[in-house]
Amino acid sequence: MRSRKSLPLLPPEQARLPWHAPGLVAGVDEAGRGPLAGPVVAAAVILDDLHPIEGLNDSKKLTAARREVLYDEIRAKALCCSIAEASVEEIDRLNILQATLLAMRRAVAGLRLKPVLVLVDGNQLPVLDVQAEAIVKGDALVQAISAASILAKVTRDRWCERLHEQYPQYGFDGHKGYGTAAHLAALRQHGACVEHRRSFAPVAHVLNIARIAEPLAAARAAQAMAQGAQAPLLPA
């Protein structure tokens, strides 16, 4: 499997690489590797050359409103697409890289049509039963990867909006789970919720502080009760 670094540069316009074997090409990308909470989401997309989609680009370069519009257009016009995830439990058990590759593998497996080639954003490849190629910055170079990045990003952002309704104290609707100053402050104040990734250092730090603080607080409370019991009664 070739690395994108060893290949000549693509022209400015996004196009299928000319030396690929004919057949369906799927683009794959993920969203949610960096946040402190929630699943990592991956998407796989096979575009339809007869129904082009204007404005595809790296999802991070698009506004939220534009991503929402393109999300619906991709779902309507693509030959097929698939969205999958790896859970918080899998992230903590496997590590974030392996969980991301697992989500990508699930996304490709979920495609209704089988591609002859899978183009993956980045420099790591999931284990697949078809030819695959990693393309650094592929979400800005290959339309199918751009489409996958948009589906993954919108799906995870929507998940964060729903989580905010359940845990409004953390502000997931704003930071989307990333370790912003506001999110870290909320973690310190409220502790971690069930969707926080225990294997990530800021979350683990808060949990360790809580483990130390709880027995100390209990010991102080017991000491205060004992001292109160030993205090002499005042005469009536």
Side-chain angles (χ1 to χ4, degrees), residues 162-176:
R162 293 193 298 272
L163 188 64
H164 175 73
E165 296 177 0
Q166 189 174 0
Y167 299 103
Q169 66 270 31
Y170 295 102
F172 284 109
D173 60 333
H175 54 63
K176 301 298 189 289

Side-chain angles (χ1 to χ4, degrees), residues 2-10 17 19-20 133-135:
R2 297 170 293 177
S3 167
R4 179 67 183 90
K5 294 180 180 178
S6 65
L7 298 173
L9 292 176
L10 285 173
L17 300 178
W19 49 84
H20 287 157
E133 183 174 315
I135 301 181

Side-chain angles (χ1 to χ4, degrees), residues 105-201:
R105 187 160 70 247
R106 287 169 173 166
V108 174
L111 288 170
R112 179 176 55 85
L113 303 173
K114 189 177 181 66
V116 299
L117 177 66
V118 175
L119 303 178
V120 180
D121 181 58
N123 58 8
Q124 300 282 342
L125 287 173
V127 177
L128 301 171
D129 61 355
V130 296
Q131 182 183 357
E133 183 174 315
I135 301 181
V136 175
K137 299 188 185 301
D139 49 5
L141 295 171
V142 179
Q143 285 194 328
I145 299 179
S146 299
S149 75
I150 292 166
L151 293 190
K153 174 65 173 169
V154 171
T155 298
R156 207 194 118 83
D157 282 357
R158 290 177 177 178
W159 181 91
C160 288
E161 296 285 348
R162 293 193 298 272
L163 188 64
H164 175 73
E165 296 177 0
Q166 189 174 0
Y167 299 103
Q169 66 270 31
Y170 295 102
F172 284 109
D173 60 333
H175 54 63
K176 301 298 189 289
Y178 285 93
T180 64
H183 191 182
L184 295 176
L187 264 174
R188 289 190 293 268
Q189 180 178 357
H190 303 290
C193 74
V194 294
E195 293 294 346
H196 278 103
R197 300 172 180 177
R198 268 61 180 167
S199 57
F200 278 44

Side-chain angles (χ1 to χ4, degrees), residues 13 22 53 56 59-60 76 80 92 110 113 145 232 236:
E13 66 274 15
I53 300 171
L56 291 176
S59 63
K60 297 184 290 297
C80 63
D92 287 339
L113 303 173
I145 299 179

Side-chain angles (χ1 to χ4, degrees), residues 50-69:
L50 299 180
H51 296 90
I53 300 171
E54 297 294 330
L56 291 176
N57 202 343
D58 174 3
S59 63
K60 297 184 290 297
K61 298 179 181 178
L62 302 169
T63 66
R66 184 61 182 150
R67 287 195 297 265
E68 288 284 347
V69 171

